[in-house]
Amino acid sequence: MDEENALELLQRYRRDRRVLLDFILSGSLIKKVVMPPGAVTLDDVDLDQVSVDYVLNCAKRSSLLELSEAIRDYHDHTGLPQMSDTGSVGEFYLTTDPETSGSPPRRTPPPVPVSTVPPVAVSTPTPVFAPSPVVSNLSRSESFDSTQEKELTVDDIDDFEDDDDSAALEGFRSKRTLNDASDLAVKLPSFSTGLTDDDLRETAYEILLACAGATGGLIVPSKEKKKEKRSSLIRKLGRSKTGSVVSQSQSAPGLVGLLETMRVQMEISEVMDIRTRQGLLNALVGKVGKRMDTLLIPLELLCCISRSEFSDKKAFIRWQKRQLKVLEEGLVNHPAVGFGESGRKTNELRILLAKIEESEFLPSSNGELQRTECLRSLREIAIPLAERPARGDLTGEICHWADGYHFNVRLYEKLLLSVFDMLDEGKLTEEVEEILELLKSTWRVLGITETIHHTCYAWILFRQYVITSELGLLLHAIEQLKKIPLMEQRGQHERLNLKSLHSKVEGEHDMSFLQSFLTPIQRWADKQLGDYHLQFNEGPTIMEKIVAVAMITRRLLLEEPETTMHSLPISDRDQIEIYISSSIKNAFARTLQVVERADVSHEHHLTLLAEELKKLLKKDSGTFMPILSQRHPQATVVSASLVHKLYGHRLKPFVDGAEHLTEDVISVFPEAESLEQFIMALITSSCQEENAEILCKKLNLYEIEEKSGTLVLRWVNSQLGRILGWVERAIQQENWDPISPQQRHASSIVEVYRIVEETVDQFFALKVPMRFTELNCLFRGIDNALQVYANNAVNDLASKEDLTPPVPILTRYKKEVGIKAFVKKELFDARMPEEPTRTNEISVLATSTLCVQLNTLYYAISHLNKLEDSIWERWTSKRSQEKLIKKSLDKSKSFPQKDTFDGSRKAINAAMDRICEYAGTKIIFRDLRVPFIDNLYKPSVSASRMDALIEPLDMELSQLCDIVVEPLRDRIVTSLLQASLDGLLRVILDGGPSRVFFPGDAKLLEEDLDVLKEFFISGGDGLPRGVVENQIARVRHVIKLHGYETRELIEDLKSASGMEMQGGKSKLGADSKTLLRILCHRSDSEASLFLKKQYKIPKSSA
């Protein structure tokens, strides 16, 4: 708040001061007011720089007021404290800053010697310096404390430019690494006269002084100032206690101080400054009402500055030659206005310029005469040429000698360069705003407009950024570029003016003004962005700004008529795509070079290339794409697609040549697939799913899965052949002995699983991409191998028919046979003796062998589930690690995971069922044939009961349960139960002619069936009661039929024959075959007679 109040008071003070001075100068208090050179009215004078004390003193004395002296008095005393007229009392000036100097000294100041020369304040106070070795290197002609007055000579100036001082200045400059900015040279033709940058810089300063003089601010420093010898180097390096460069305007505010700052910034010597100022002031003598900025400055300086003002003739010749070149360039070579009828005078002008230059090499009297005459003639020709009207101005309003397009912008460039800090090229000077405001005064002379200014200033700032890499300058340059108006934003006069500005440079087409300045910027930005991976590797901040520069310059250049005829991309998207394409190709080429030079003894170069490209894309998507996507939404798609294409060109020959799963294939394929999936993930993440699918389909996919799948199938098939060979060999060598009491399975199945699991491990160790086709092939191969094992395990088993004795021929009851049966005489069927011969030819396996086979198959099926779960788990993990983005052709989801080994499961279960059936049949019909099949119920039911069979049956059952594993016990015992019931049915239905049954035997048979039932239930330790009941139900029904009378059986048999024709059963629920067999075994004459008449069954023979 205090600062705002102070600023408001200061503004009010300055306003009141101007009103007061204007009143005094306009009234009758002053006898006469003499305007300063270049000023016509008070409006041309900056009243802020007029000394009030001087004006008041003139008013008191009623004397003449020279405003130039009032301005000089203001600047000479502005840095000194206010003094009162105290007579001859000892006085001194305080030259330190009270705010930073601390408390005042307590001792009294030393007496000041009386001097005959009154002290005069200079425009800039002596700066306070830090101790430095530079101080000792000051000019040898004068020190800071010297009181001797001495004229400034050329030798002294040479001292200022001593090599030691230059080296010291370099020591104070910032330690920046300056870059080459030659690519940013403006596309303008060179000067035919050979003007150098120094010539342009000095001429630009002369124009600046003339334009400043038009406002009345041009004064020549007093003689005392010229005598005060101070090193220019020390002024440049002067620092305040805060470390900042001391601004000239701090000690000399206003235009004078600003001009002093400009002189230092443009490296103009004080001698040249004073000489130019004096020359310009002398040029106005006798030209009442003439503004200084309407003078033909080089001509006026040639006329007003003589050789005597140069102590060195060579310096004068160099100075004069520069002025002559400037006249030729400004009036002849690059005029703003066409010559028209004055065109013939240009040759005369060139001749006069040559004569003036020649005069310096003639004798002094002749040379001076020739020079004077030529200057007079030159004025007669040059003034009309320079005062040709243009842009609607009146004759004499402005002098058109330096506003030709090529010449003026070069001069204005030198003026604009003064905005940079001398000690740090990457910083703008503190007075940049004041300098730019001051430079506006040169626009009339140089023909500068706002568009031209913003364009030139933007180019200057951008070039300085390129040289120094200072981000602040880049931001200022962008700000200036944004200020350049577009075509529709320019006025008609501005458009016509810019349309007239053209240049022709060798190797380039005809270029407009904006093209000359903006094309280098655009080309430089395009070059940087064309390899942004290299140029902006450290961070995206600068890149974002350079993209902005490129887009702004593109937009401005596209409006130029000449640009539309050339090959600039139409849209920003097209330009961004060009940047991406160029940079990706350059980065790919560099990466390829690095990979090809790397040691590839461990990894194939395509593997390394894929890894590096993935890193490149990660950085690209994380660092650069967020910037480029602002102007091209699918920038990521363009980048990723191009990398995919470039790598694909390198990969294709390798893929086409791959025939087997070599180490290189196993190394390259996974990385190539991983890169492709990463690219597709980038594309998917950068756009919507529908668009991503379309874009991914446009990619020329590597088809790694298909190619590697073919190779993997070859490998799997070879491995499956190996497994099958192992299975067959293991079965052939198997003896079916248990491994141990605890491991009651054969060793062959362990060996088979070992080779299978090894194959599975090798399959998943292949890191190449796979489809479900390859996995399914592995499943089918393993499934087939286990089916072969199960089938081979039961190949040696005899069939059930081979183990079962032949069924005797049905015969009817014969009384003699019945009598003989009661006396226990053995009766045999005529065919019975042949059966043992057939049975002995069969190789019957031992019960223990059958149990081991059963255990082995159970081991196979139980471990099959573990193997299947393991394979699916590893497959799922493999697919999830691959992180598939595209819609894979993988059909694994359509396959139930538990159905993959269905074939082997069915084969093993079938083999186990066959072994169980074989074991039960073998025990009942082979091992227990004599007590069971041959002798049970002989000669009668009551004489031979089931109880006698329980003990041998229990022994067989115990052997089974001791060897068979626990999960299979119910299964094998059930098979034994079924075989026992089959044997019992064989006895009571096909027992042969030696077995006869009476209806009363049914009760005994029922009891025997219950005995057998309880044996297998075993008080709850055996089979479940329900299972046993279900199994014996069929036998119980047959036994019940034995209890019916013969007549009932005959009647039922008669009805059953007709019912079976219709698909039904008899009243007793039996089929005709069962009823027939019961009647054949019925000890009854009625049954025998019925069978004889109806079925022609023969009698049993003794």
Side-chain angles (χ1 to χ4, degrees), residues 532 572-574 576-578 580-581 584 617 620-621 624-642 679 682-696 698:
Y532 58 78
D572 288 354
R573 288 171 62 106
D574 295 337
I576 294 298
E577 283 194 20
I578 292 174
I580 295 173
S581 176
I584 288 290
L617 282 175
D620 195 56
S621 60
F624 305 121
M625 288 305 108
I627 298 171
L628 299 177
S629 296
Q630 296 173 9
R631 303 175 189 274
H632 193 322
Q634 292 188 352
T636 302
V637 177
V638 176
S639 171
S641 300
L642 183 56
I679 288 172
L682 284 179
I683 294 175
T684 303
S685 64
S686 65
C687 51
Q688 297 179 353
E689 185 176 353
E690 299 79 8
N691 296 334
E693 187 174 351
I694 296 173
L695 292 169
C696 289
K698 290 182 179 179

Side-chain angles (χ1 to χ4, degrees), residues 290-296 387 396-399 444-445:
K290 187 79 170 177
R291 290 174 59 92
M292 191 176 291
D293 57 357
T294 61
L295 298 175
L296 181 53
E387 290 186 350
E397 178 185 347
I398 193 167
C399 189
R444 285 165 56 89
V445 175

Side-chain angles (χ1 to χ4, degrees), residues 264-365:
V264 175
Q265 289 289 102
M266 297 183 71
E267 301 182 10
I268 302 297
S269 67
E270 289 186 359
V271 174
M272 177 184 172
D273 177 44
I274 294 172
R275 183 169 57 226
T276 304
R277 289 172 185 248
Q278 190 64 59
L280 290 173
L281 291 173
N282 292 339
L284 278 180
V285 175
K287 297 182 177 64
V288 180
K290 187 79 170 177
R291 290 174 59 92
M292 191 176 291
D293 57 357
T294 61
L295 298 175
L296 181 53
I297 297 171
L299 177 61
E300 299 297 344
L301 291 178
L302 283 171
C303 295
C304 296
I305 298 178
S306 64
R307 183 168 54 190
S308 61
E309 297 186 39
F310 292 84
S311 60
D312 185 357
K313 182 179 180 180
K314 291 182 179 180
F316 172 74
I317 293 174
R318 286 196 301 268
W319 175 84
Q320 179 176 262
K321 190 173 183 179
R322 171 172 66 83
Q323 302 294 349
L324 297 175
K325 288 180 179 180
V326 168
L327 277 175
E328 183 176 354
E329 292 290 352
L331 288 176
V332 181
N333 295 341
H334 302 289
V337 186
F339 293 114
E341 298 179 357
S342 304
R344 59 184 178 79
K345 296 183 178 180
T346 57
N347 290 330
E348 299 177 20
L349 189 144
R350 282 195 173 97
I351 294 172
L352 289 173
L353 295 177
K355 285 185 176 181
I356 293 172
E357 187 174 353
E358 180 186 287
S359 66
E360 297 303 323
F361 302 96
L362 298 176
S364 58
S365 58

Side-chain angles (χ1 to χ4, degrees), residues 724 727-728 731 783-793 795 907:
L724 205 55
V727 169
E728 292 173 350
I731 284 290
D783 189 48
N784 181 60
L786 292 175
Q787 288 183 55
V788 170
Y789 182 88
N791 293 333
N792 284 340
N795 273 348

Side-chain angles (χ1 to χ4, degrees), residues 72-141:
R72 185 197 310 278
D73 184 79
Y74 172 80
H75 288 290
D76 287 348
H77 294 83
T78 190
L80 301 177
Q82 291 294 324
M83 300 295 295
S84 58
D85 188 8
T86 56
S88 60
V89 179
E91 300 171 351
F92 66 92
Y93 295 107
L94 182 64
T95 59
T96 58
D97 185 359
E99 294 182 0
T100 58
S101 299
S103 58
R106 302 190 180 198
R107 60 183 178 81
T108 56
V112 179
V114 179
S115 174
T116 58
V117 181
V120 179
V122 295
S123 60
T124 56
T126 304
V128 181
F129 294 93
S132 170
V134 178
V135 176
S136 61
N137 294 329
L138 295 176
S139 170
R140 291 181 294 275
S141 62

Side-chain angles (χ1 to χ4, degrees), residues 373-436:
E373 292 177 353
C374 288
L375 285 175
R376 186 182 302 107
S377 301
L378 182 62
R379 180 181 294 276
E380 294 175 357
I381 297 176
I383 294 299
L385 286 176
E387 290 186 350
R388 285 167 293 172
R391 298 190 298 272
D393 49 66
L394 301 174
T395 304
E397 178 185 347
I398 193 167
C399 189
H400 297 288
W401 70 273
D403 55 351
Y405 165 42
H406 306 147
F407 188 42
N408 68 339
V409 292
R410 291 290 183 91
L411 292 171
Y412 195 59
E413 170 198 343
K414 299 307 175 185
L415 292 172
L416 286 173
L417 286 173
S418 63
V419 300
F420 301 113
D421 193 328
M422 293 185 64
L423 302 182
D424 189 348
E425 299 88 343
K427 302 293 183 183
L428 294 173
T429 185
E430 294 178 1
E431 300 86 355
V432 59
E433 296 297 334
E434 292 87 344
I435 290 175
L436 292 176

